C-alpha cells in the first residue's frame, strides 16, 4: 500500500464540468488496472421535490452510460462513515457533492426515510477531514464554489455561503490536488509535489 494517497477536490460553479471531471478520474483509475481497480460514487443529493427527483434520475442515467462500472452509494448525512466504509487501496471513492451534503446538514428538509444529522455541521466536517486522512484509497470530492458573486440577501444564506467557504478551504488543505472547473475546463489550483 502506498504511503501517500492522493485525494483531489474538484470545485466550480453549477454546470462547470465538475462531475464529469470526477467521472473521468474514475474511468482513468479503473483503466490503469481493469481487473483490480474499482470506483464507487457516494451521492449526497436528496429528492425533496419533483424537479430534484427528475434531476437525480437524469444524473443516474447519464452516469450509468458514461461510467457503467462505477457503483453508487447514497448517503446524504453520514459522509465520513461512508468514505471509511467504502475506501480500499484498489477503490477510488468519488463524493458528489459536498455542497448538497452541507445543505443537508444546515437546512435539513426531511424526506420520508431520511436520517437527521446527529451532530453539528462543524463536527461532521471535522469527521470528514479525519475520514480523508484515514482513507485507504484515493478520494475525489466534488463541490461548488459559490462565493464569487454578490453578497446574498438573508442572514441564513450568508451563513451558508460562509460555512461552505470555510469547509472548502479545509477540504482543499486536506487534498493533494485541487482543480477549479470553469466552462468544462480545468484549472489546477494545487498539485501534489512529484
Amino acid at each position: 500500500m502506498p504511503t501517500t494517497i492522493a485525494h483531489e477536490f474538484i470545485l466550480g460553479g453549477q454546470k462547470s464540468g465538475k462531475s464529469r471531471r470526477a467521472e473521468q478520474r474514475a474511468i482513468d483509475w479503473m483503466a490503469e488496472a481493469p481487473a483490480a481497480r474499482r470506483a464507487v460514487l457516494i451521492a449526497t443529493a436528496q429528492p425533496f421535490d419533483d424537479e430534484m427527483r427528475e434531476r437525480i434520475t437524469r444524473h443516474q442515467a447519464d452516469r450509468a452510460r458514461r461510467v457503467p462500472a462505477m457503483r453508487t452509494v447514497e448517503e446524504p448525512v453520514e459522509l465520513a462513515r461512508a468514505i471509511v466504509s467504502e475506501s480500499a487501496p484498489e477503490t477510488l471513492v468519488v463524493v458528489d457533492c459536498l455542497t448538497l451534503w452541507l445543505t443537508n446538514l444546515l437546512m435539513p428538509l426531511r424526506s420520508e426515510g431520511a436520517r437527521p444529522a446527529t451532530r453539528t455541521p462543524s463536527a461532521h466536517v471535522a469527521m470528514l477531514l479525519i475520514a480523508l486522512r484515514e482513507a485507504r484509497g484515493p478520494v475525489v470530492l466534488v463541490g461548488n464554489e459559490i462565493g464569487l458573486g454578490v453578497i446574498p440577501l438573508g442572514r441564513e444564506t450568508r451563513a451558508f455561503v460562509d460555512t461552505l467557504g470555510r469547509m472548502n478551504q479545509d477540504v482543499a488543505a486536506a487534498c493533494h490536488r485541487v482543480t477549479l472547473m470553469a466552462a468544462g475546463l480545468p484549472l489546477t489550483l494545487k498539485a501534489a509535489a512529484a
Side-chain angles (χ1 to χ4, degrees):
M1 185 162 112
T3 55
T4 302
I5 298 169
H7 302 317
E8 181 173 6
F9 185 26
I10 301 171
L11 71 162
Q14 190 169 340
K15 296 296 179 196
S16 62
K18 304 178 304 292
S19 295
R20 289 227 181 158
R21 180 79 173 181
E23 289 171 0
Q24 189 60 52
R25 292 289 194 225
I27 290 166
D28 295 345
W29 168 263
M30 291 185 288
E32 287 180 13
R37 289 189 172 179
R38 299 180 319 232
V40 61
L41 172 91
I42 301 174
T44 63
Q46 296 186 73
F48 290 122
D49 57 34
D50 290 340
E51 187 275 334
M52 193 61 172
R53 275 188 280 284
E54 291 172 14
R55 181 179 288 262
I56 289 170
T57 299
R58 186 175 59 252
H59 280 258
Q60 290 169 335
D62 291 347
R63 193 168 48 247
R65 189 180 70 258
R66 289 190 297 261
V67 196
M70 186 163 60
R71 185 171 56 88
T72 299
V73 172
E74 295 181 10
E75 182 46 67
V77 174
E78 296 296 335
L79 181 56
R81 184 182 310 157
I83 290 171
V84 170
S85 173
E86 297 296 332
S87 179
E90 71 284 351
T91 302
L92 174 80
V93 174
V94 175
V95 175
D96 197 353
C97 87
L98 290 179
T99 309
L100 288 174
W101 173 66
L102 186 63
T103 301
N104 296 337
L105 298 175
L106 289 171
M107 300 170 206
L109 300 172
R110 295 287 171 238
S111 63
E112 192 173 315
R115 295 181 313 282
T118 56
R119 291 171 292 283
T120 65
S122 60
H124 276 277
V125 171
M127 291 176 62
L128 168 63
L129 299 174
I130 292 168
L132 290 175
R133 282 194 302 270
E134 295 179 354
R136 296 177 296 139
V139 180
V140 174
L141 305 115
V142 175
N144 290 78
E145 175 53 73
I146 63 172
L148 297 174
V150 297
I151 297 171
L153 295 175
R155 183 172 50 96
E156 292 85 5
T157 305
R158 286 191 299 274
F160 176 80
V161 171
D162 290 347
T163 302
L164 178 64
R166 284 190 297 273
M167 180 188 71
N168 284 350
Q169 290 182 47
D170 291 342
V171 171
C175 290
H176 299 85
R177 183 174 192 81
V178 179
T179 304
L180 178 66
M181 297 297 297
L185 300 173
L187 175 63
T188 300
L189 301 180
K190 178 182 177 182

